[in-house]
Amino acid sequence: QVQLVQSGAEVKKPGSSVKVSCKSSGGTFRNYALHWVRQAPGQGLEWMGGLVPMFRTANYAQKFQGRVTITADESTSTAYMQLSRLRSDDTAVYYCARGGEYQVRYTWFDPWGQGTLVTVSA
Amino acid sequence: QSVLTQPPSASGTPGQRVTISCSGSSSNIGGSTVSWYRQLPGTAPKLLMYNDNERPSGVPVRFSGSKSGTSASLAISGLQSEDEADYHCAAWDDSLNGWVFGGGTKLTVL
C-alpha cells in the first residue's frame, strides 16, 4: 500500500520561496508520476505539475511556469515542490498525489498526501 | 474559473439518488477518461471513481460513474449521511497539456 507523507506547515513572507517534500513508501517510486495539486481556502483543486522520477523532466501548468520546480530524489523516494516569488494568493494547502506509470498524462491520482498548509503573509 | 464545470452544491435526503455533473470539452472529457474524488472537511481528497466508471476497491456499489461526449456524471444511490462531502472531477486536457479539475460540488444530506 503506497503512502505519501508530506512535510509540515510553513509560513512565508511575500517574495520568498517555499519547498514542500513528499515521501513515498510501500511501493515503486521511480516509475510512477508524482503530481502537485493545491487548494486555496474555500476553493477547488488546481494542478501545478508532475513528473515521473525516472525521467526527471517535469510537466508544469502554464500558470506556474517559471515559478514552480518539481524534483524527485530516488535515493530517498521523496518528491519536492518549490514555489518561488510567493504572493498572498499562494496561501493554500498543497497536496502531492501519485499518478500513472511512466506518464503524467491520463490515469488518475491515488493516493494523496495529507496536505501541507503554506501561508503567505507579511 | 475551473476548466471543468460542476454545480457548486447538491442535496438529497437519506435513501435518495443524487447525480453530480461535470461538463468539459473535446480536449479534456471528450478525449480522456474522468476520475472523481471525495473530500471530507479538513482532509485530503480520495479517489472515488476512475476510468469514467470504475470503482477502487472498498468503494460501495451505490457509487457509479458515466460519461457521454464531453460530460460526465457521478451518481450516488441510497444516500447516507456520511456521503456529505465535496466531490471533484478531473481529466487530462490535451490542449492545455495538463490536468484540469471541476470547481467541486458540496453535497448536503438533508
Side-chain angles (χ1 to χ4, degrees):
Chain A
Q1 192 89 350
V2 175
Q3 190 174 9
L4 303 177
V5 178
Q6 299 181 221
S7 50
E10 303 260 14
V11 179
K12 293 292 182 179
K13 300 281 189 196
S16 66
S17 298
V18 69
K19 191 171 186 177
V20 181
S21 68
C22 170
K23 183 169 176 61
S24 175
S25 62
T28 306
F29 179 73
R30 69 190 315 259
N31 302 352
Y32 285 84
L34 242 297
H35 298 272
W36 289 90
V37 177
R38 78 176 188 180
Q39 186 173 36
Q43 302 299 308
L45 301 171
E46 183 175 35
W47 182 76
M48 300 178 70
L51 93 166
V52 177
M54 66 185 295
F55 299 141
R56 304 193 179 201
T57 302
N59 281 54
Y60 299 119
Q62 202 163 13
K63 174 178 177 177
F64 299 101
Q65 286 272 5
R67 244 186 4 121
V68 69
T69 304
I70 295 173
T71 56
D73 182 343
E74 290 186 51
S75 68
T76 59
S77 299
T78 303
Y80 299 91
M81 185 283 300
Q82 180 166 344
L83 187 62
S84 61
R85 303 192 298 280
L86 290 168
R87 308 184 293 253
S88 58
D89 61 358
D90 290 318
T91 294
V93 176
Y94 290 76
Y95 295 102
C96 61
R98 193 167 96 147
E101 193 171 13
Y102 299 123
Q103 63 175 340
V104 298
R105 299 154 60 96
Y106 309 118
T107 65
W108 52 88
F109 304 110
D110 182 53
W112 294 62
Q114 84 275 20
T116 297
L117 175 62
V118 175
T119 303
V120 183
S121 173
Chain B
Q1 194 82 358
S2 301
V3 173
L4 304 182
T5 301
Q6 296 180 238
S9 64
S11 63
T13 56
Q16 254 190 337
R17 184 176 188 270
V18 168
T19 301
I20 297 171
S21 62
C22 175
S23 177
S25 68
S26 58
S27 65
N28 41 65
I29 292 178
S32 175
T33 59
V34 176
S35 51
W36 290 88
Y37 303 87
R38 179 162 73 171
Q39 185 177 30
L40 297 171
T43 69
K46 193 170 181 182
L47 180 66
L48 184 66
M49 197 73 58
Y50 66 98
N51 283 348
D52 302 333
N53 55 18
E54 296 191 51
R55 284 175 287 104
S57 169
V59 173
V61 295
R62 58 194 188 82
F63 289 87
S64 62
S66 64
K67 188 178 82 173
S68 178
T70 60
S71 291
S73 291
L74 174 73
I76 309 171
S77 59
L79 202 59
Q80 300 179 4
S81 57
E82 55 260 40
D83 295 332
E84 272 207 353
D86 292 330
Y87 292 83
H88 307 270
C89 60
W92 174 263
D93 191 299
D94 279 322
S95 293
L96 296 174
N97 198 35
W99 282 89
V100 292
F101 285 91
T105 298
K106 184 176 184 61
L107 176 63
T108 301
V109 180
L110 303 168

